[in-house]
Amino acid sequence: MIANGGSIDVASLVQGSGDVVLRNSGTVDFHAGSGAGQTIAFDGAGVLELESGFLFGGTITGLTQAGRIVLDMPATAIAYTDHHLTMQLSGGQTFNITVLGELTLDDFIVNTGSASTTISTDLTAPCFALGTRIATDTGDRAVEDLRVGDKVRVAFGAATKEVVWIGYRHVDCLRHPTPLSVWPVRIESDTFGPGLPSRALFLSPDHAVYFDDVLIPVKHLINGDTIARVQVDEVTYYHVELTSHDIVLAEGLPTESYLDAGDRNSFSNGPSAVRLFASFGSGLDANAIRDAQGRAPLVVTGTAVAAARAAARRSVTDRKDSDRVAA
């Protein structure tokens, strides 16, 4: 079942096994709940409405800041353990909703009203780590050395675009409630071909790389070898906003520039009070903003993602073969 921008009401109990996909702000309303064999997959923006959390036994995947679970009852989140989000009613009764993902309780955004509850999640920002070299009209420059007004090379169309804002944030990973969400992801040199990147590139997990005409968050390409998380005690992130969202060259690899999705207060130099724990990209309409202003579609599944993973795997094999020859 696919709710692609439309609305589906399911009056009876959904039994057996199957997938329900929500995309393009599609809505599915389970009036009588579902059995454990159902998987609700958020593929971008969408709404899953449950008249009773007690009656829902399925599994939810892909819940981001763009997706919402709406319970037709007021409840609060009290725990998240083994992928079970525990909700509690005002009378003390509890029930669990199974939500898969690299999450903790702090990653959930729960808004409780007088008659309903809305549940979403928070995600990390797309950022460059300190020291990343960005291609400009005068050559490669470290991201921390860029200034507003500088001209950055873009991959398509106009030769350069002007920098209009640079966000930065030093993150103490040891004190962060979800350090996995802020540890940088390393892309080894030549992972996607010679000079792509030209040397190891460190990005935040949700920073998207450009491959086969789409943008792919790097965390979806992790293979533990050529693309891997790096556990660090602290990290400083920068992001570069241009006159419009575009594809820049970071260590020679096409990656995205900053797109404001309502997360400027996660940067130390944002326009308002700084958020205590960096959790960038938290605007509930982030996917709608990407659809309207993004330079290329953002995808997390499909042929382009498979091709990018295959390219990275070939790089792993090539390295191992080279090591054997050298030995």
Side-chain angles (χ1 to χ4, degrees):
M1 182 186 302
I2 299 176
N4 187 11
S7 180
I8 301 173
D9 281 2
V10 184
S12 59
L13 175 67
V14 180
Q15 301 185 54
S17 61
D19 295 331
V20 178
V21 179
L22 298 169
R23 59 170 64 117
N24 294 327
S25 300
T27 298
V28 172
D29 189 343
F30 280 180
H31 292 271
S34 75
Q38 300 301 312
T39 297
I40 313 301
F42 283 87
D43 182 17
V47 178
L48 170 64
E49 188 166 352
L50 305 175
E51 292 199 3
S52 172
F54 291 96
L55 300 177
F56 179 73
T59 298
I60 296 168
T61 67
L63 183 64
T64 68
Q65 73 269 35
R68 289 181 294 150
I69 303 169
V70 178
L71 301 173
D72 292 346
M73 56 178 64
T76 56
I78 60 173
Y80 182 72
T81 306
D82 295 329
H83 302 301
H84 297 307
L85 179 65
T86 302
M87 304 295 297
Q88 185 177 61
L89 304 182
S90 58
Q93 307 97 316
T94 63
F95 58 90
N96 292 328
I97 300 176
T98 302
V99 183
L100 301 185
E102 295 177 344
L103 300 164
T104 71
L105 183 61
D106 290 332
D107 294 316
F108 286 91
I109 303 170
V110 180
N111 295 313
T112 305
S114 59
S116 65
T117 304
T118 301
I119 304 169
S120 187
T121 64
D122 212 345
L123 295 178
T124 57
C127 301
F128 301 107
L130 177 76
T132 300
R133 298 180 304 184
I134 306 297
T136 74
D137 61 344
T138 59
D140 290 350
R141 292 172 57 187
V143 65
E144 63 269 24
D145 293 333
L146 292 177
R147 298 292 183 268
V148 171
D150 287 344
K151 299 294 182 62
V152 171
R153 287 179 54 198
V154 294
F156 309 102
T160 63
K161 281 191 176 179
E162 185 175 321
V163 175
V164 298
W165 184 71
I166 298 175
Y168 62 86
R169 179 70 182 263
H170 182 78
V171 181
D172 185 342
C173 302
L174 295 177
R175 295 181 60 244
H176 199 281
T178 55
L180 187 72
S181 70
V182 291
W183 286 336
V185 175
R186 181 192 67 245
I187 305 176
E188 290 286 3
S189 61
D190 305 328
T191 290
F192 296 107
L196 298 172
S198 57
R199 68 173 187 174
L201 172 62
F202 295 84
L203 303 173
S204 63
D206 277 277
H207 199 123
V209 300
Y210 184 81
F211 189 93
D212 278 1
D213 300 324
V214 299
L215 287 164
I216 308 169
V218 68
K219 68 181 182 182
H220 293 284
L221 302 176
I222 290 173
N223 57 27
D225 196 318
T226 54
I227 305 178
R229 279 192 175 87
V230 180
Q231 184 174 343
V232 297
D233 293 344
E234 58 185 7
V235 61
T236 300
Y237 283 127
Y238 287 80
H239 219 324
V240 180
E241 183 177 20
L242 307 179
T243 51
S244 60
H245 188 240
D246 217 311
I247 310 300
V248 302
L249 302 175
E251 306 295 356
L253 184 71
T255 63
E256 67 174 328
S257 66
Y258 176 70
L259 177 62
D260 185 6
D263 60 351
R264 286 187 194 268
N265 67 340
S266 281
F267 294 94
S268 297
N269 60 327
S272 57
V274 179
R275 188 171 184 158
L276 177 59
F277 293 113
S279 188
F280 311 112
S282 59
L284 292 178
D285 57 352
N287 274 31
I289 292 173
R290 278 192 171 275
D291 289 343
Q293 303 177 25
R295 181 62 178 79
L298 185 78
V299 301
V300 298
T301 61
T303 56
V305 176
R309 290 172 177 164
R313 284 195 298 272
R314 284 196 298 272
S315 179
V316 173
T317 302
D318 291 345
R319 288 172 189 273
K320 291 179 178 178
D321 289 344
S322 177
D323 290 343
R324 283 194 292 270
V325 171

